[in-house]
Amino acid sequence: MSASPTSARPRVGIDPRIKRRRIEVLRTEGRKRLRNFAAAFGVVALAAGAVGATRSPLLDVDYVDATGIEHTPRQELLAATGLDRHPLLIDLDTEQLAAAARRLPWIATAKAEKQWPGTVRFEITERVARAVVRTEAGQWALADVEGRVLEVVPERPPGLPAISKAGLPGAPGTMLAKEAAAPLAVAAALPDAVRDKVGEVVAAEGDTIELNLWPSGVVRLGPPDQLPAKMEALATMLTKADLRRLSVLDLRVPTAPVLTRR
């Protein structure tokens, strides 16, 4: 009797060597995929760790070094720049820090620098007080040559002439009225040798400037021009001339001073 065409054919077994080779190939590919995944995960983890480290409280601002400040209280500088809140160093913009510092009344120039892991350094130049102006409350506002009000103090400081007819000064950081520009320019030009002899710089008629001296006497400077020559003549006359019973010292023509006595 012939065999049925549908009878199952005997299976041919796989050579054990081929089977082992296939298994080894699959294992090798699996290990390779695992290594690739581990490497990719490591890169991501490292990047995440680096970002996380910069956001760590360990890298907030814990020290502020400021050179050049004498009249500006340190706490005011910290508050104005927000550094009193210990922000993260990576979040800080040095230009914005410097601009915030320059808004303080005394500060003329400021440069900020970040130093890792947690330090901000400022290089600051402060303004110089050149004159004082009486306030409405009877105090004294210190002003620089540009007319910026630097500070208000209860007592008049020595060595600074007063400016009259300059309007009432505002709070520190504001500017004096434009009428103060000429007297301030004269006050700033005063030689150190005679500064303490000048009690008041007065804007007189027109653009004429006069100086009221201690203890008495008036210096007529005329308009605030030729200031170097007029200041040289002023220093010469106040340090070398006999000023007893001085009434008026006319320096409108600095090369030909005229002295009038009482």
Side-chain angles (χ1 to χ4, degrees):
M1 189 173 180
S2 60
S4 171
T6 59
S7 299
R9 295 180 180 179
R11 295 183 180 179
V12 178
I14 300 176
D15 189 313
R17 290 174 298 178
I18 296 176
K19 184 177 181 180
R20 286 196 300 270
R21 178 59 180 164
R22 287 181 178 177
I23 293 173
E24 184 61 31
V25 169
L26 291 174
R27 288 176 176 174
T28 300
E29 290 179 353
R31 286 193 293 267
K32 184 177 180 180
R33 287 194 295 268
L34 183 60
R35 285 196 299 269
N36 290 340
F37 174 78
F41 180 80
V43 170
V44 173
L46 183 61
V51 172
T54 61
R55 313 301 302 180
S56 168
L58 295 175
L59 295 181
D60 63 0
V61 176
D62 52 27
Y63 182 69
V64 177
D65 179 33
T67 61
I69 57 172
E70 179 181 354
H71 300 92
T72 303
R74 179 181 176 84
Q75 194 56 40
E76 284 189 16
L77 175 64
L78 297 180
T81 56
L83 296 176
D84 58 340
R85 298 189 293 273
H86 301 282
L88 293 175
L89 195 63
I90 194 172
D91 291 338
L92 297 179
D93 183 310
T94 54
E95 290 299 326
Q96 291 181 0
L97 288 175
R102 288 192 294 269
R103 286 193 286 270
L104 291 172
W106 276 97
I107 295 181
T109 66
K111 178 182 177 182
E113 178 186 6
K114 295 191 289 188
Q115 294 187 346
W116 297 92
T119 297
V120 174
R121 298 191 184 279
F122 286 97
E123 293 181 9
I124 289 172
T125 302
E126 288 191 325
R127 298 173 183 270
V128 178
R130 292 302 189 186
V132 293
V133 182
R134 191 84 169 183
T135 71
E136 188 174 21
Q139 296 181 307
W140 295 93
L142 282 64
D144 72 347
V145 66
E146 295 178 354
R148 183 165 180 164
V149 178
L150 307 177
E151 187 178 352
V152 176
V153 295
E155 302 292 335
R156 178 176 175 176
L160 291 177
I163 299 295
S164 68
K165 300 181 181 179
L168 291 174
T174 61
M175 302 296 292
L176 295 177
K178 62 181 181 180
E179 290 78 13
L184 279 171
V186 172
L190 289 172
D192 292 339
V194 302
R195 186 176 297 277
D196 60 351
K197 294 181 173 65
V198 178
E200 188 176 30
V201 183
V202 181
E205 295 297 328
D207 59 354
T208 299
I209 301 295
E210 294 183 351
L211 307 179
N212 292 334
L213 302 178
W214 296 112
S216 63
V218 175
V219 178
R220 291 177 181 163
L221 291 177
D225 57 7
Q226 304 182 72
L227 284 181
K230 291 178 179 179
M231 292 300 106
E232 182 178 0
L234 175 66
T236 299
M237 295 298 293
L238 294 189
T239 57
K240 296 183 178 181
D242 182 2
L243 300 180
R244 288 176 295 180
R245 296 183 296 107
L246 171 67
S247 176
V248 176
L249 174 59
D250 192 332
L251 296 178
R252 288 175 291 181
V253 181
T255 56
V258 177
L259 190 153
T260 302
R261 302 182 188 279
R262 292 191 302 272

